Amino acid sequence: MKISYNWLKQFINTDLSTNEADALLTDLGLEVEGVENFESIKGGLNGVVVGHVIECVKHPNADKLKLTKVDIGQNETLQIVCGAPNVAEGQKVPVATVGTTLYDEKGEAWKIKKGKIRGEASHGMICAEDELGLGQSHDGILVLNDSLTPGTPLSDLYEVEVDQVFEIGLTPNRADAMSHWGVARDLRAGLIQMDKNTPLNTPAVSNFHVEERSRKIAIEVKDSKLAPRYAGVSISGINVKPSPTWLQNRLKAIGLKPVNNIVDATNYILHDLGQPLHAFDADKIKGNKIIVQTLKKGTKFTTLDEVERKLHEEDLMICDEEKPLCIAGVFGGLNSGVSSHTNNIFLESAYFDPISVRKTAKRHGLNTDASFRFERGIDPNITEYALKRAVILIQEIAGGKVTSDIDDLYPKKIEDFQVFLSFKKINELIGHEIDTNVIKNILSSLEIKVNNVTESGMGLTIPSYRVDVQREVDVIEEILRVYGYNNIPLNEKFNVSVSLSDRFEDHKIQQITAQQLVGKGFSEIMSNSLTTVKYTEYSNTISTDHQVEMLNPLSQDLAVMRQSMLFSGLESVAYNINRKNEDLKFFEFGKTYHKYGDKYEEPKHLAIFATGKKHPESWTNALEKTDFFYFKGVVESILVRLGITATQLKTAKSSVFNEAVSIFHQKKQLVSFGTVQKSILKKFDIDQEVLFADFNWDAMLDASKTNQFTFQEIPKYPAVRRDFALLLDESVSFSQIEEIALKFGKKLLKKVDLFDVYTGKNLPEGKKSYAIKFIFQDEHKTLTDKQVDKLMTKLQTQFENELGANLR
């Protein structure tokens, strides 16, 4: 939010420097994220002076250029080449001297330099009004008053407003500070704490009066819950035209583009007091009646941005007797607003229900200055005051007469909040005792009324515009921010209690796993849990029957909670590949969300993705792509690191995998992994293979608690290796071989590995060849060949009997 310091000073007289005001606002909780300098004429006309054209002749080498000699009040005249058709001898003109910086219409800077134009020297520039930022015309140079003295700085002739603009990072709870008046209130509270009792200047509205009662527009509010307060007044005989310079400068300083005097006046009051207003062309209000109501679902309405929108049955609308005119508190209609032909207006000031406005704005994807304030909660008690301020301003800059009384419908007053503040609680939360009189002064400076004081505390009345201060702790926070966090002394000694924690806590196991993956070159990602419903079409593992839908989605792409970690991860993969980052290794801890009847489930997952090359390109590494077996090793390394023993591996079938494996521990599935279906990758415009693993993290945590690490000495006796080349049916898996070998290898068989697979020529149809190594070792003695050969014979027999294997 942008706050103009000059504007702020209209409410509070302060001699604080910009840096001092910046620091004080930040200490008060209105964090100043930056300060910008604003000049109503960019560059401030620095280096531009009045020049007297004492000679003007045709350029010897160009038909459309003229060669001039210009007196700028110095000892020597300047020769300047000028192409303007209206330049003539005897004129007083603005001259940008060499070294002056000017700005084009886009704000880009360019510097005046000495140069030659068609062979003639030029030492400056005679300027048009648009080149100086004084207007839009470029028909010719700007001709000044003949009485001016050469050399006079142009900044002395044109008032250049210089301002400093604070960029405040406003937190969502501080609805009271969404205006210059609100920020001035906080600044005043801070100054009082610094013993600078500066009054807050509240603009008077005593000049408001009704001149005629000839144009009354009736108001009907059909649902006072959605519009607790609604006020309006008619102004007739206005003249729509550009706003005066001072008003344009105020709006430009905070980044708003002036439109016309009526629209600018409503924008000014919004940023001045925080009260959104809306001006209707009164001649377009059919039946001379405003009706505040909701309309049927699907009703079409075209907004100011020329977009036709279909209304929701809960959207609050401002209507006349025939049609909708405006989305209440959000956006105006295309055909009901003020135009250059408007002569009469109906001016609206209201307090709309914050929840209703927020839902409507989100439904239509709109975020306006008005909705920003209504959503957070404005002051319901300045509705009429802001309306009068706007009327006075409009009459000042656009003329017109007030032709109706203010019709203010406020059936149920929004009451202030009552809070009891305990002195004991203040000391407990702040950790420092603050004098009671200081507390009372701070509360008074925040317009919080102290009703009574007892030994234990105070009874307080909180103004209704402080929607964020409704509890005792909220009041204490207010006291602390004004008192100053920096004024709370730090104790020399800190006491910390060390709590007993389980080594199997979720975050600890996550950290161990994350370190393991990072060590293998993986990067952690965090994706949005909100996703699009269309992903249910990509896989039969998720269903619209079990999706958790958002009641108020930001957009259709974020309308449901994710049921799978796959698709949000593929979004990240696609995003990186589209930016030429094609070798990716990602992991993410997260939840999926499911609805089963009336019950909701949020299981935890660990998702792993890999695609592209295994290792960064280097002269020392061969360019190997990430494949299934590499990925399987990554998955198994996580289980090993957590001490989890896989009790079963199964081939998995799924609509998301081309080929996949599931690993189990005591009949619980821990993880499924494999290569993602090409049909799914195509939906994300991914042309390369992607491997995906989905860990059931809750099952992983349970399995990790059963691990038992044992420690043993390194064996003194050597290991023995034997190899088999087995001819097998293609349906036989290595896990079957491993299971049989370990079962019959007794305690001497330590390891079984597959080191070669062959299919193709010289093998019977339906057969494959596995080369397998067996590692034998006895911790107590050296194995003999006879012992190992006996074991190998036994293994061969088992392979032949159970798997139909043959030695090659």
Side-chain angles (χ1 to χ4, degrees), residues 171-221:
T171 52
N173 63 308
R174 291 303 308 277
D176 62 297
M178 293 186 295
S179 65
H180 286 78
W181 191 19
V183 174
R185 279 191 304 234
D186 255 26
L187 191 61
R188 175 177 173 269
L191 288 171
I192 290 174
Q193 186 63 22
M194 296 167 60
D195 295 326
K196 296 181 179 181
N197 197 349
T198 306
L200 192 64
N201 304 321
T202 305
V205 293
S206 56
N207 289 338
F208 174 85
H209 64 278
V210 180
E211 287 136 311
E212 295 178 8
R213 291 177 174 82
S214 58
R215 185 125 194 174
K216 177 176 172 57
I217 294 179
I219 300 173
E220 180 184 357
V221 177

Side-chain angles (χ1 to χ4, degrees), residues 681-739:
L681 297 179
K682 189 176 180 180
K683 302 285 187 182
F684 293 85
D685 295 324
I686 299 173
D687 295 327
Q688 60 194 58
E689 186 178 73
V690 177
L691 293 129
F692 168 63
D694 185 11
F695 285 83
N696 178 343
W697 191 248
D698 294 312
M700 290 284 290
L701 291 175
D702 291 338
S704 68
K705 295 175 184 178
T706 65
N707 65 17
Q708 291 184 351
F709 290 101
T710 58
F711 299 88
Q712 60 186 27
E713 292 182 11
I714 297 174
K716 298 178 181 178
Y717 302 98
V720 178
R721 169 174 170 164
R722 290 286 190 273
D723 295 342
F724 268 165
L726 298 176
L727 187 65
L728 302 156
D729 291 337
E730 286 186 346
S731 60
V732 176
S733 67
F734 170 70
S735 61
Q736 292 175 275
I737 297 171
E738 184 181 34
E739 185 179 351

Side-chain angles (χ1 to χ4, degrees), residues 501-509 512 704-705 707-709:
S501 62
D502 188 346
R503 70 186 180 97
F504 296 107
E505 285 184 2
D506 189 353
H507 72 94
K508 292 183 179 179
I509 303 299
I512 291 170
S704 68
K705 295 175 184 178
N707 65 17
Q708 291 184 351
F709 290 101

Side-chain angles (χ1 to χ4, degrees), residues 343-411:
N343 294 314
N344 309 300
I345 63 171
F346 174 77
L347 192 60
E348 164 198 281
S349 179
Y351 175 85
F352 297 117
D353 177 63
I355 295 174
S356 172
V357 172
R358 181 167 65 250
K359 287 183 176 181
T360 296
K362 298 303 180 188
R363 270 194 292 266
H364 295 288
L366 294 170
N367 182 22
T368 62
D369 284 340
S371 68
F372 178 82
R373 285 158 178 79
F374 279 125
E375 286 176 17
R376 287 156 177 78
I378 62 171
D379 185 352
N381 295 319
I382 65 165
T383 306
E384 184 179 5
Y385 170 74
L387 192 59
K388 289 180 177 179
R389 280 266 288 132
V391 169
I392 292 170
L393 177 59
I394 288 172
Q395 287 185 301
E396 177 187 326
I397 63 177
K401 296 184 292 184
V402 180
T403 51
S404 77
D405 291 309
I406 290 178
D407 196 356
D408 185 5
L409 302 187
Y410 195 15

Side-chain angles (χ1 to χ4, degrees), residues 631-762:
F631 198 64
K632 177 174 177 284
V634 172
V635 170
E636 290 178 336
S637 73
I638 294 172
L639 301 178
V640 171
R641 179 64 184 85
L642 297 180
I644 299 172
T645 303
T647 56
Q648 191 177 16
L649 276 77
K650 285 185 179 179
T651 302
K653 293 184 178 180
S654 169
S655 61
V656 301
F657 292 119
N658 283 326
E659 54 179 351
V661 170
S662 294
I663 297 179
F664 294 79
H665 174 78
Q666 297 178 355
K667 297 183 179 181
K668 279 189 179 181
Q669 182 175 308
L670 299 180
V671 58
S672 289
F673 62 94
T675 55
V676 181
Q677 290 273 10
K678 289 184 178 180
S679 59
I680 293 177
L681 297 179
K682 189 176 180 180
K683 302 285 187 182
F684 293 85
D685 295 324
I686 299 173
D687 295 327
Q688 60 194 58
E689 186 178 73
V690 177
L691 293 129
F692 168 63
D694 185 11
F695 285 83
N696 178 343
W697 191 248
D698 294 312
M700 290 284 290
L701 291 175
D702 291 338
S704 68
K705 295 175 184 178
T706 65
N707 65 17
Q708 291 184 351
F709 290 101
T710 58
F711 299 88
Q712 60 186 27
E713 292 182 11
I714 297 174
K716 298 178 181 178
Y717 302 98
V720 178
R721 169 174 170 164
R722 290 286 190 273
D723 295 342
F724 268 165
L726 298 176
L727 187 65
L728 302 156
D729 291 337
E730 286 186 346
S731 60
V732 176
S733 67
F734 170 70
S735 61
Q736 292 175 275
I737 297 171
E738 184 181 34
E739 185 179 351
I740 293 170
L742 293 174
K743 179 180 178 182
F744 291 95
K746 297 183 179 180
K747 295 182 179 181
L748 299 180
L749 181 58
K750 301 300 181 182
K751 194 173 183 181
V752 183
D753 276 329
L754 175 66
F755 65 88
D756 188 38
V757 178
Y758 176 73
T759 57
K761 293 181 180 180
N762 303 322

Side-chain angles (χ1 to χ4, degrees), residues 419-458:
V419 174
F420 180 79
L421 179 62
S422 163
F423 293 134
K424 181 181 178 183
K425 191 69 172 178
I426 296 173
N427 297 335
E428 284 179 356
L429 287 183
I430 295 179
H432 173 67
E433 187 171 342
I434 301 176
D435 185 84
T436 304
N437 289 327
V438 173
I439 293 174
K440 290 166 69 175
N441 287 337
I442 291 174
L443 294 173
S444 176
S445 70
L446 293 171
E447 299 181 0
I448 296 175
K449 183 181 177 182
V450 179
N451 300 321
N452 54 73
V453 182
T454 67
E455 289 185 2
S456 59
M458 303 177 182

Side-chain angles (χ1 to χ4, degrees), residues 413-528:
K413 187 177 185 300
I414 297 174
E415 300 294 337
D416 294 337
F417 311 109
Q418 304 297 319
V419 174
F420 180 79
L421 179 62
S422 163
F423 293 134
K424 181 181 178 183
K425 191 69 172 178
I426 296 173
N427 297 335
E428 284 179 356
L429 287 183
I430 295 179
H432 173 67
E433 187 171 342
I434 301 176
D435 185 84
T436 304
N437 289 327
V438 173
I439 293 174
K440 290 166 69 175
N441 287 337
I442 291 174
L443 294 173
S444 176
S445 70
L446 293 171
E447 299 181 0
I448 296 175
K449 183 181 177 182
V450 179
N451 300 321
N452 54 73
V453 182
T454 67
E455 289 185 2
S456 59
M458 303 177 182
L460 308 174
T461 298
I462 314 296
S464 56
Y465 65 80
R466 290 308 307 270
V467 292
D468 61 320
V469 184
Q470 299 184 24
R471 304 170 300 167
E472 184 181 28
V473 290
D474 298 329
V475 178
I476 294 172
E477 182 182 3
E478 291 296 292
I479 293 169
L480 182 54
R481 72 180 181 85
V482 176
Y483 182 76
Y485 290 93
N486 295 333
N487 293 326
I488 304 299
L490 293 175
N491 293 328
E492 295 182 359
K493 180 181 178 183
F494 287 96
N495 296 320
V496 179
S497 298
V498 179
S499 60
L500 179 63
S501 62
D502 188 346
R503 70 186 180 97
F504 296 107
E505 285 184 2
D506 189 353
H507 72 94
K508 292 183 179 179
I509 303 299
Q510 280 194 33
Q511 185 68 17
I512 291 170
T513 306
Q515 288 175 348
Q516 172 83 359
L517 287 167
V518 169
K520 289 184 174 294
F522 283 75
S523 300
E524 185 169 9
I525 61 172
M526 294 180 68
S527 8
N528 200 336

